[in-house]
Amino acid sequence: MSVTSGFAASMAPVLFKAGCPDCRARFELSAGALRLAIGGSHRTTFYSFTCPECGTAVRKPAGERIVELLTGGGVSTLRLHSTVRNV
């Protein structure tokens, strides 16, 4: 995952470079095409998107740097909360 941004005379939207593990296509996605889920651990923190080439739902882990890039680029974020019940 990497970020491409344009700082021309007009502010261009941020685009994120990504790839599909199924069809191996490489492409750029807008912030609206990505979703970020932040959980309580590295196992439950991930980003997801649908491959524009083959339609596969892709889910990849998101470390601290990826979370920083995605949130800074305007990607919609969902915070996951665990439900703990005392019995």
Side-chain angles (χ1 to χ4, degrees):
M1 171 72 48
S2 62
V3 178
T4 304
S5 64
F7 290 104
S10 64
M11 287 295 290
V14 175
L15 295 175
F16 298 91
K17 292 183 181 183
C20 178
D22 282 1
C23 72
R24 301 278 186 206
R26 307 282 307 156
F27 40 82
E28 292 182 338
L29 297 171
S30 67
L34 293 154
R35 295 289 175 262
L36 173 63
I38 300 176
S41 73
H42 64 85
R43 291 185 200 168
T44 57
T45 300
F46 60 90
Y47 65 98
S48 61
F49 58 89
T50 300
C51 174
E53 298 293 323
C54 70
T56 298
V58 178
R59 177 176 161 166
K60 294 187 175 185
E64 288 181 32
R65 179 71 178 137
I66 297 295
V67 169
E68 183 180 310
L69 289 171
L70 293 176
T71 56
V75 172
S76 183
T77 303
L78 172 67
R79 296 213 178 261
L80 305 176
H81 299 280
S82 64
T83 305
V84 178
R85 293 171 41 169
N86 293 327
V87 182

